Amino acid sequence: MDEHGVSHVEMAEKSGVPRTTISNLATGRATKPTRLTARKLMAVIREIDPGARYEDLWG
């Protein structure tokens, strides 16, 4: 997420996903998001990178 220029705080605000969940995914403490969380995060990421794919982030 950081590589797309979006901070964890900004991602949390835009997606509605808790910042701790985003941080856990970014640091590897959690390896894959739930489907609902992934949909929310991908919606925000695709605003910046329309070609972003789930597999590229959580393959």
Side-chain angles (χ1 to χ4, degrees):
M1 286 160 265
D2 290 330
E3 62 268 14
H4 288 94
V6 180
S7 71
H8 295 176
V9 172
E10 185 179 6
M11 180 66 74
E13 290 171 354
K14 289 184 173 189
S15 68
V17 173
R19 188 199 54 77
T20 53
T21 300
I22 294 167
S23 179
N24 287 343
L25 289 165
T27 61
R29 292 186 87 184
T31 56
K32 292 192 178 196
T34 65
R35 287 182 187 193
L36 178 59
T37 297
R39 275 192 298 238
K40 290 178 178 181
L41 294 175
M42 289 305 297
V44 175
I45 292 168
R46 286 186 178 138
E47 288 177 9
I48 299 160
D49 180 0
R53 298 178 327 149
Y54 174 91
E55 295 81 16
D56 296 336
L57 299 170
W58 300 292

